[in-house]
Amino acid sequence: NVVVVKHHPRPITLANSFYTTQCPDIADRIVINLTSRNPDRAFAQQVSPFYVGPVTGPDGASSDSLEIFWQVGKVFPHHDDGGQPSEAYFKYRNDMYSKKQGEIPKPIMRHPYHEFGYEADDMLYWAYWNGEKGEYERLSYLEARKKVYIPEYARLVANSEAFKWMKSLVDQGEKVALL
């Protein structure tokens, strides 16, 4: 009963007709905005990757929010050293991880690679510390979403009142679309 819809960069509300008319298969669903753009700030702070955190990676490095953790884990050409993250990458990562929510301008937090002249498709890999191998593993975008982002997001929101409310909707048989 739950579908996840990629959000569009325009302001959205709890039941936005832009989505329900563009995606006829969700027209009968309750559309719930999980983004930082949700006008209900208290709700957004419980479910938006911009606000939920902190996150500590398997190598012990931690970030104030999931969004910073996710975006900064991406390695672009200028931070690659023969297939491994370079020293410059770790300096950049640690600097970004040390910042608190709100200290990084939102456009940079959402797309930090623009600072370096890259686009999203220029990402080489997501750097994931594999403790068993004792090295950083190169994950594709999709592999990193499955291995890192989704489990961390679930861990961070599972006990929130917002999640409990959404789960109650599904438990009652409501059809839900998450943005």
Side-chain angles (χ1 to χ4, degrees):
N1 280 346
V2 178
V3 295
V4 178
V5 181
K6 183 178 180 192
H7 74 277
H8 187 275
R10 68 182 260 181
I12 52 181
T13 59
L14 186 60
N16 186 313
S17 63
F18 173 81
Y19 292 100
T20 56
T21 58
Q22 297 291 320
C23 305
D25 59 322
I26 66 165
D28 63 335
R29 295 179 183 268
I30 297 171
V31 179
I32 302 174
N33 178 355
L34 303 180
T35 74
S36 60
R37 292 188 177 128
N38 187 322
D40 181 344
R41 184 61 129 208
F43 185 85
Q45 288 177 336
Q46 294 179 57
V47 296
S48 168
F50 278 85
Y51 300 114
V52 297
V55 177
T56 301
D59 64 353
S62 63
S63 171
D64 191 47
S65 78
L66 179 60
E67 188 68 19
I68 295 170
F69 184 80
W70 172 250
Q71 294 299 341
V72 176
K74 297 173 182 176
V75 178
F76 288 85
H78 73 294
H79 281 150
D80 179 64
D81 184 12
Q84 287 290 302
S86 67
E87 284 186 39
Y89 165 79
F90 289 108
K91 184 175 186 292
Y92 165 74
R93 181 195 73 172
N94 295 340
D95 178 58
M96 292 292 278
Y97 281 6
S98 72
K99 297 182 186 320
K100 298 291 181 201
Q101 166 61 30
E103 290 180 4
I104 302 171
K106 204 171 211 179
I108 293 172
M109 183 164 63
R110 182 71 180 98
H111 305 287
Y113 45 84
H114 286 165
E115 283 188 292
F116 307 111
Y118 293 110
E119 294 299 324
D121 291 344
D122 296 324
M123 181 186 107
L124 297 177
Y125 53 90
W126 205 91
Y128 178 79
W129 177 250
N130 183 326
E132 291 177 18
K133 293 182 180 177
E135 65 184 16
Y136 281 87
E137 197 175 324
R138 294 168 53 114
L139 301 180
S140 71
Y141 181 87
L142 189 55
E143 290 170 326
R145 276 287 189 188
K146 291 177 180 179
K147 190 170 188 169
V148 179
Y149 190 93
I150 292 169
E152 274 304 311
Y153 182 76
R155 180 187 69 78
L156 291 165
V157 302
N159 294 315
S160 70
E161 291 304 314
F163 179 81
K164 291 174 187 173
W165 171 73
M166 291 183 287
K167 184 175 180 326
S168 76
L169 292 175
V170 174
D171 290 347
Q172 294 167 29
E174 297 288 348
K175 293 180 178 178
V176 176
L178 304 175
L179 304 178

